Amino acid sequence: MAKEKMRTVKRLGAGYGLKPRRRLNEIEGGYLGRLQKCSECGAQKVKRIEAGIWKCQKCNRKFASNAYRVI
Ligand SMILES: [Zn+2]
């Protein structure tokens, strides 16, 4: 739904530029708080520790990736 996305963007108002807006959309898009898939063991148990750092709770592998999701 395009209208849903626009609500997030509009809330920020003008003057923030495109980059932070897009980032907020990514965060609010649900990437945070959702377990990601581990590229090593394939388990859906990868949790974000901090921006860009992810850790698999199954094989304990820690790796750097995109700040808000595993790529
Ligand atoms: Zn793993």
Side-chain angles (χ1 to χ4, degrees):
M1 299 261 169
K3 251 188 175 172
E4 279 291 309
K5 265 184 195 167
M6 286 312 285
R7 204 189 293 158
T8 303
V9 173
K10 271 191 176 160
R11 204 179 61 210
L12 278 175
Y16 279 88
L18 185 65
K19 242 187 168 180
R21 277 197 228 175
R22 207 187 270 162
R23 214 163 62 174
L24 190 80
N25 261 334
E26 246 180 68
I27 302 166
E28 296 198 345
Y31 290 114
L32 282 185
R34 203 184 280 175
L35 291 175
Q36 307 282 318
K37 199 173 175 185
C38 176
S39 57
E40 192 73 14
C41 65
Q44 197 119 18
K45 286 191 179 280
V46 177
K47 212 177 171 185
R48 202 185 79 129
I49 304 172
E50 51 188 278
I53 299 177
W54 300 76
K55 193 185 177 193
C56 176
Q57 296 174 312
K58 198 187 175 196
C59 63
N60 269 341
R61 200 174 95 107
K62 211 172 169 186
F63 51 94
S65 189
N66 186 285
Y68 300 109
R69 65 183 136 164
V70 176
I71 32 172

